[in-house]
Amino acid sequence: MALTGKFNAKRVLVTSGWILLAIGCLVVLLAAVRDKNESVCKSIDVNISGLSNHFFIDKQDVLDLINRYSGEEAIGQAISSFDLVGMESELEKDVWVKNAELYFDSHNVLKADVEEREPVARVFANGTHTFYIDSSLSMLPLSDKFSARVPVFTGFPSDAKVLTKADSALLRDIRNISQRLQEDSFMLALVQQVDITPSRSFEFVPYIGNQVIVLGDAQNLDEKFRKLSLFYRNMMPRFGWNRYSIINLQFKGQVVAKLKGKDDVSADSLRTIQLMQAMAATAEKLASDSVQTIVQDNERNTADSTMIKFMIQREEPTLEPTIFFERIAEPAEPSKKQEEPKATAKPAKKPVAKPAAKPAQKKPGRKN
């Protein structure tokens, strides 16, 4: 009986202890919450992240939006009055904001982490519409803050906001080609712009030379770029930059190059005029951006046309894959000494026999 009473008393004490501990924790928690609700925002720390230094949205834009959403100056307001979820949604309505996270740290500082969208290509539609695209294929408008230095694509077949399945696939190819170009400093220095043909294939317009580089579709880009690099390293230094009118990369394991002929001269002149007009129109649209503030080149985009010849001439320490350039029409080099035409031997004329001279006749002598 005594043992039972002693056991019950111990059980009551343990239960009471746990209850008191729970009450104490609850009191502390309520006090912390009340203290937090009574705390005010001391400052705002904005952090904008992206793949490079293209800042199409700046810290002041984020601060203005937070203050506008709060109805007044956010600093000094009670933390309990902040609708952080609503602020995040409002920030993400900006087309240049990919993701936004807002929270208060232990020092009552409002942290705003904003991830900016990164343009990877600029696209010119057949009409007057032009836009950027990012890695997620979002169509981004031009910015009044910066003009991004990214590869330019012309001839996109649609300027509609809602694209068809075929146009979406074409936009995906544009993204893949542009990203691959930016990974290769040689190709970035070589290619001035990329034309989209009516058959939805791609052609490169180089900075140097009047040839057209036919890329075809966006498949096997690594192989095509390697073949083009080898072609420029091996063929162009030998035969010049304007020897070929077309360089075709569509065939597996080979580069098909067409020599300029008489028919190509007029066609090439016409195409040169067309390309110059297209590039002039593109340059005019680029120049018509609201503000022409060009950001410094990033690590993937430090190239100019003077790098092309340097890269071709410098020796590579690594072994290059062997590619046989088949079906490349090349005229035989003229020999140093041309054979002179052999003289045709004329038959010798037989000498005409002259008549023998008559012997002189002796005059008859006088007879004595």
Side-chain angles (χ1 to χ4, degrees), residues 84-97:
L84 298 182
V85 176
M87 288 182 180
E88 290 175 354
S89 301
E90 193 69 20
L91 277 172
E92 290 173 355
K93 288 181 180 179
D94 191 301
V95 68
W96 287 103
V97 175

Side-chain angles (χ1 to χ4, degrees), residues 190-258:
L190 174 67
V191 177
Q192 183 175 15
Q193 70 180 46
V194 184
D195 291 337
I196 304 172
T197 67
S199 61
R200 297 176 179 265
S201 60
F202 298 92
E203 295 179 351
F204 290 161
V205 178
Y207 279 103
I208 299 180
N210 296 323
Q211 63 271 8
V212 176
I213 303 172
V214 180
L215 179 69
D217 56 26
Q219 303 296 321
N220 302 320
L221 292 178
D222 290 340
E223 179 188 356
K224 292 177 180 179
F225 281 23
R226 185 173 64 254
K227 290 191 301 183
L228 183 61
S229 177
L230 287 174
F231 183 85
Y232 268 85
R233 293 167 191 261
N234 297 328
M235 307 303 292
M236 292 302 185
R238 293 174 55 195
F239 299 107
W241 295 88
N242 296 312
R243 185 182 182 86
Y244 304 100
S245 60
I246 297 175
I247 301 174
N248 198 327
L249 308 175
Q250 297 183 92
F251 301 96
K252 185 176 181 179
Q254 57 183 322
V255 176
V256 181
K258 181 181 179 182

Side-chain angles (χ1 to χ4, degrees), residues 39 65 69 90 99 106 108 125-126 144 146 148 156 166 217 237 258 286 293 297 301 316 329 342 350:
S39 300
L65 189 145
Y69 194 86
E90 193 69 20
N99 185 42
S106 59
N108 298 335
N126 285 330
D144 57 353
F146 295 101
F156 190 73
D217 56 26
K258 181 181 179 182
L286 289 171
T293 305
D297 288 354
N301 193 16
E316 294 292 335
K342 297 179 180 180
K350 295 180 180 181

